[in-house]
């Protein structure tokens, strides 16, 4: 997102969009907000579980009874999850509020910068990666804790059976270290901090970090 534009969520759960010194009310009674890291797009879920998309000037309703949502770093791709008729989670993805392109049998919680990779958990709670063609790759069938992604979301760091692993673009996981990690340090930048959404780290690759 451009430096002069940002969102505010006040104590009364009202969302405002601020740009160039002007303040615009976007939504009242907001329960959750997901903001594209490098764009003005935001997904907002109100107290009635209605999902809307705001692009800096227009608020558009997308769906109702939503349980989760995610947006890519560049704001181009979004997903939302709902329960189907047998109470299983399904996720819909798209690039425009009126054009849903795919339906996934997984709950998506993160999307890469350009929308090419989506990460989620399937009905068996497996950690999976779904690429832009809709092909699903199993990353882990016993994931413990998510440690984070690199900046563009092509690498995911996680724990399994007490050890730490990395997967790149949904491919087979590789062990990073035995045991769980406590901190992540960049080669030049020192200890790394997660972004506001608690998932993405400000590094090009996690292959060059110390844990």
């Amino acid at each position: 997102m451009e430096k002069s534009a940002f969102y505010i969520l006040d104590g009364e759960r009202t969302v405002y969009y601020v740009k160039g010194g002007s303040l615009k009310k976007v939504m009242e009674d907001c329960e959750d907000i997901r903001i594209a890291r490098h764009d003005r797009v935001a997904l907002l879920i109100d107290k009635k579980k209605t999902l809307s998309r705001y692009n800096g000037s227009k608020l558009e309703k997308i769906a109702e009874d939503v349980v989760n949502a995610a947006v890519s770093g560049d704001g181009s791709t979004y997903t939302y999850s709902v329960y189907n008729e047998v109470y299983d989670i399904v996720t819909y993805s798209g690039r425009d509020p009126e054009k849903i392109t795919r339906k996934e049998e997984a709950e998506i919680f993160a999307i890469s910068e350009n929308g090419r990779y989506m990460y989620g958990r399937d009905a068996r709670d497996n950690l999976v990666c779904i690429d832009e063609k809709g092909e699903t790759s199993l990353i882990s069938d016993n994931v413990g804790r998510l440690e984070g992604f690199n900046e563009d979301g092509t690498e995911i760091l996680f724990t399994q059976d007490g050890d730490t692993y990395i997967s790149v673009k949904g491919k087979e996981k590789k062990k990073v270290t035995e045991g769980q990690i406590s901190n992540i340090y960049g080669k030049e930048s020192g200890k790394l901090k997660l972004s506001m959404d608690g998932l993405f780290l400000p590094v090009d690759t996690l292959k060059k970090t110390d844990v």
Side-chain angles (χ1 to χ4, degrees), residues 88 105-106 121-128 138 140-143:
D88 289 330
E105 302 297 325
R121 293 178 182 266
D122 65 14
R124 297 183 177 181
D125 207 32
N126 297 321
L127 177 62
V128 297
L138 174 66
S140 172
D141 60 1
N142 188 29
V143 66

Side-chain angles (χ1 to χ4, degrees), residues 65-110:
D65 300 320
V66 171
V67 296
N68 189 39
V71 62
S72 61
D74 64 3
S76 65
T77 304
Y78 70 91
T79 64
Y80 65 90
S81 301
V82 297
Y83 289 110
N84 63 13
E85 60 277 1
V86 293
Y87 218 64
D88 289 330
I89 287 282
V90 293
T91 295
Y92 297 90
S93 63
R95 288 179 173 266
D96 184 277
E98 298 179 355
K99 296 178 182 178
I100 300 301
T101 57
R102 289 213 308 263
K103 177 181 176 182
E104 314 293 353
E105 302 297 325
E107 182 175 4
I108 303 300
F109 59 82

